[in-house]
Amino acid sequence: MRADAKLRIEVDGEVQFSRWARGLIRHLTSWKPFFERFAPRFIDLLRRRMDSEGAADGQAKWPELSEQYAAWKQQHFPGKPMLQRTGDLYEAVTKPEVEITDETLTITIDSPYAIYHHSAEPRTSNLPRRVIASFTARFKREVMAAWREVMANG
């Protein structure tokens, strides 16, 4: 593997993390050990975001539901947090499909609702954006810790 490489992580085309590893990876023949450390940490971040209605790791809570929808939801789905009305989206986000090779990591959340809530694309309704997967400062430190662990131990 090259002596220099760029670790770039995108979520829906939005760069969340980008670091050069110059001269550090001469002995690394596969990214798989890093991906195997990264994937569970990322899935845990997604779970924390869903469990806290976006407020994980010091992030702001997602925008409140509209008054009308909140009343309807309370009547039909009492006590259910945001983005967890039926549980399907929560299940998809917290138990994604993970595919790891020597050079790639793909984490797939199999739900059309996830990308709609997360996306920065213009809205077709008044529904506010509720970011599901963004890297917090804490999580970036976890990524770097996983990277250093792989560099030290392979």
Side-chain angles (χ1 to χ4, degrees), residues 4-5 8 14 20 53-54 68 86 89 91 95 123 126 130:
D4 295 343
R8 179 181 167 109
E14 188 177 325
W20 275 101
E53 297 184 327
Q68 182 180 1
T86 65
L89 179 57
E91 187 79 8
K95 296 178 182 170
R123 301 282 182 214
N126 291 330
R130 293 188 171 95

Side-chain angles (χ1 to χ4, degrees), residues 16-79:
Q16 295 289 323
F17 187 88
S18 183
R19 299 284 190 282
W20 275 101
R22 298 190 192 280
L24 298 174
I25 60 172
R26 282 189 173 84
H27 69 284
L28 191 66
T29 58
S30 169
W31 287 89
K32 198 171 193 174
F34 170 73
F35 295 150
E36 288 171 342
R37 287 169 176 84
F38 173 84
R41 287 176 166 107
F42 182 66
I43 294 166
D44 185 58
L45 173 66
L46 297 175
R47 182 195 50 74
R48 291 193 314 262
R49 298 255 333 169
M50 294 295 287
D51 289 346
S52 66
E53 297 184 327
D57 302 345
Q59 298 284 73
K61 187 177 175 181
W62 293 324
E64 292 296 328
L65 302 175
S66 71
E67 193 174 307
Q68 182 180 1
Y69 180 69
W72 178 89
K73 187 176 177 185
Q74 182 58 31
Q75 181 181 4
H76 293 89
F77 299 92

